[in-house]
Amino acid sequence: MLLTFIAIYLLASIGIGLWAAKRVHNTADYAVAGRNLALPVVIATTFATWFGSETVLGVSAKFVQGGFNAVVEDPVGSSICLILVGLFFAYKLYQKNLITIGDYYRQRYGRGVEMFCTVVIIISYLGWVAAQITALGLVFNLLTQGAISLPIGMVIGTVIVLTYTLFGGMWSVAMTDFVQMIVIVIGLLLIAVFAAEMAGGAGRVIEFASTEGKFQFFPAEVSLHAWLAFIAAGITLMFGSIPQQDVFQRVMSSKDAKTAVRGPILGGTFYFIIALVPMFIVTSALLIMPEVTTTLLADDPQKVLPTLVMEKMPLALQIAFFGALLSAIMSTASATLLAPSTSFVQNILRNIKPGMSDAATLKAMRISVVVFTAMVLAYAIIMQGTPIYELVSGAYQFPLVGAFIPLVAGLYWSRATTQGAVWSIVGGLTVWLAFIFVPYGEGVLNDLFPQQLAGLLAAALGMVAGSLLPQWIGNTKGHVHHYQGSAA
């Protein structure tokens, strides 16, 4: 019965996505939904894109192990990221009428920076999408009690998401996200209410979490190293997710500038609130089935929540849970398959093959979705065993050190130059890699100082020095003097 309902839901999701695909007539429709999305849809697609497998399975597992301090990256940092996008980036970028975030780098710094930043952004999606595909495989494996292996489950889930994303682009993503958001919220809230009753009431669950120190947010250890690690973890998604195509697509898909600003702010706030629900449910599991939960925490913490639902809850709530979980995974997977594919075509392929028609560009975007999906599926299968939370958090260090500073400086510092952007990118990535691989004592430099924080500081220094020192690299017009106005 459970499998039947899940199969019907999956077919309905595909149907909604293919129905929405009828609105796609050109690249603008495919990439940014023709800039026609109303505020409720923008909020829904922003929330649903970020509310993925790591939120339901990864964040809840991290919280029950280490409390709020362990989830500073997500959902704390990630929700603040969306709010920052709405407050400081959405309006400025929306006014430029762009298709991708890479278009901004081209307008501000030239084609070289555009292509390099686009590569940085595309690479960062490997980990995030792989996390969703891994979760899809895990869900099908659990639903069939092992009859479907993890790799086969990954393939099945990937094909389902690919089907509607391929044809409908942003229109399909937005419409399915809207429905999936409703399923996520209702499903998780129902499960939370039932779990609270089984645990002896919501008050008892909260009191237990407090007694166990789960509400400790700041580092318990009073040391510079602990605080630097805490700050580095917080800024990884908080800043590293800002120069990302999936966030930018929601801004540019809005029907007007006011919607572009409000959508991420409200979506980010809503995301943080609902992200607390899986944490509450897994904490309840410690009271409902303490022995089983303790065993799972030692083996695979990501299985605590689905095990609680499968073993302790009625069929209706099992359907609600797996519907919510699949909604969370598919909404994130579809958006993160589309974003890098459109960026590749718009900002790399069109530079290699200038003069492409709109029809040829649209076709290339669809082909790129298929190719990127195949690459990510292979990567996810290779990376089996890596925790979902780690796949996601690790993915955003790359754009943090390689693309964030040029974006901020370009929007808010008139003297930022193309040379400054190049020095920022090269310096940030070089220092980041050095702190990962250069030996230091028995470990590497990262043991001494967080790698992403070192890379970010180097990127900022590179931007300032490269912009203020004599110029050798030309801007978009070929000039090498200090940048004073907006580029054409």
Side-chain angles (χ1 to χ4, degrees):
M1 184 66 71
L2 176 60
L3 287 173
T4 300
F5 275 104
I6 294 302
I8 292 172
Y9 176 68
L10 292 173
L11 289 173
S13 297
I14 293 173
I16 293 169
L18 294 178
W19 168 77
K22 294 180 180 180
R23 300 189 180 201
V24 176
H25 305 291
N26 51 49
T27 54
D29 289 336
Y30 193 78
V32 291
R35 291 166 66 96
N36 282 316
L37 298 186
L39 181 60
V41 181
V42 176
I43 294 172
T45 190
T46 301
F47 164 84
T49 295
W50 284 68
F51 205 98
S53 59
E54 73 286 354
T55 315
V56 179
L57 302 176
V59 168
S60 58
K62 279 282 186 179
F63 174 77
V64 82
Q65 289 176 307
F68 269 117
N69 179 259
V71 296
V72 61
E73 286 178 286
D74 187 18
V76 178
S78 52
S79 57
I80 293 175
C81 164
L82 293 174
I83 294 171
L84 292 176
V85 167
L87 291 175
F88 300 107
F89 297 89
Y91 183 81
K92 284 178 173 286
L93 292 172
Y94 188 85
Q95 299 299 319
K96 297 181 181 297
N97 193 24
L98 310 171
I99 295 293
T100 66
I101 189 68
D103 292 346
Y104 169 75
Y105 290 108
R106 180 182 67 250
Q107 288 190 6
R108 186 62 171 84
Y109 300 115
R111 296 190 182 279
V113 174
E114 169 199 10
M115 294 179 70
F116 201 93
C117 283
T118 299
V119 170
V120 167
I121 291 168
I122 289 174
I123 292 174
S124 71
Y125 278 101
L126 279 173
W128 197 8
V129 189
Q132 313 314 313
I133 291 176
T134 299
L136 283 170
L138 178 62
V139 170
F140 285 114
N141 180 262
L142 289 172
L143 282 171
T144 59
Q145 297 181 346
I148 295 179
S149 66
L150 193 61
I152 297 300
M154 291 182 187
V155 174
I156 294 171
T158 302
V159 170
I160 291 171
V161 176
L162 175 63
T163 301
Y164 65 80
T165 306
L166 175 63
F167 295 102
M170 189 59 194
W171 269 118
S172 289
V173 170
M175 293 299 103
T176 52
D177 279 358
F178 188 79
V179 175
Q180 288 162 349
M181 183 198 73
I182 296 172
V183 175
I184 291 169
V185 173
I186 294 176
L188 288 178
L189 288 178
L190 288 174
I191 292 165
V193 170
F194 196 84
E197 290 180 358
M198 288 192 294
R204 186 183 177 211
V205 176
I206 295 172
E207 182 182 357
F208 173 77
S210 178
T211 303
E212 294 293 312
K214 303 303 182 185
F215 296 144
Q216 173 74 33
F217 180 64
F218 296 108
E221 179 186 346
V222 183
S223 69
L224 179 61
H225 187 272
W227 274 94
L228 286 175
F230 175 77
I231 293 170
I235 65 172
T236 298
L237 268 73
M238 189 186 301
F239 295 158
S241 296
I242 290 176
Q244 289 291 85
Q245 176 61 15
D246 58 287
V247 179
F248 181 81
Q249 275 182 309
R250 275 125 199 87
V251 171
M252 296 307 296
S253 297
S254 304
K255 66 176 184 178
D256 52 46
K258 186 180 293 186
T259 300
V261 170
R262 291 177 177 177
I265 294 174
L266 295 173
T269 303
F270 191 46
Y271 170 76
F272 179 77
I273 294 170
I274 301 302
L276 298 174
V277 179
M279 300 184 206
F280 177 87
I281 298 171
V282 173
T283 304
S284 302
L286 287 167
L287 296 172
I288 298 169
M289 47 180 204
E291 294 182 2
V292 174
T293 302
T294 301
T295 301
L296 288 173
L297 286 175
D299 178 36
D300 186 356
Q302 297 170 154
K303 292 183 178 179
V304 173
L305 184 48
T307 301
L308 171 66
V309 173
M310 292 293 287
E311 293 187 3
K312 299 294 182 179
M313 296 192 178
L315 177 62
L317 288 181
Q318 292 179 18
I319 294 170
F321 170 73
F322 282 102
L325 180 57
L326 284 169
S327 293
I329 298 169
M330 292 193 299
S331 60
T332 302
S334 60
T336 48
L337 287 176
L338 179 64
S341 304
T342 54
S343 292
F344 170 77
V345 174
Q346 181 72 10
N347 303 116
I348 296 179
L349 185 60
R350 294 192 70 175
N351 280 320
I352 298 173
K353 297 179 62 178
M356 289 176 64
S357 66
D358 190 79
T361 302
L362 178 58
K363 181 179 179 180
M365 285 182 178
R366 284 177 167 145
I367 293 173
S368 296
V369 169
V370 176
V371 173
F372 187 75
T373 301
M375 291 171 56
V376 173
L377 176 59
Y379 179 75
I381 293 174
I382 292 171
M383 295 296 289
Q384 281 185 74
T386 304
I388 291 170
Y389 192 92
E390 302 303 327
L391 282 172
V392 173
S393 61
Y396 287 101
Q397 292 188 25
F398 208 43
L400 173 68
V401 303
F404 175 68
I405 294 297
L407 174 63
V408 176
L411 288 173
Y412 286 98
W413 190 35
S414 63
R415 296 197 69 180
T417 66
T418 299
Q419 178 172 286
V422 172
W423 286 23
S424 175
I425 296 166
V426 174
L429 289 173
T430 300
V431 170
W432 176 65
L433 290 171
F435 271 70
I436 294 176
F437 296 111
V438 172
Y440 174 81
E442 297 182 358
V444 292
L445 286 174
N446 186 51
D447 296 331
L448 180 67
F449 193 89
Q451 62 202 34
Q452 64 268 50
L453 190 55
L456 181 64
L457 293 174
L461 180 61
M463 172 58 75
V464 174
S467 297
L468 296 181
L469 291 175
Q471 303 295 291
W472 296 96
I473 301 174
N475 62 17
T476 55
K477 295 181 179 179
H479 301 154
V480 293
H481 54 70
H482 287 302
Y483 191 90
Q484 297 292 346
S486 66

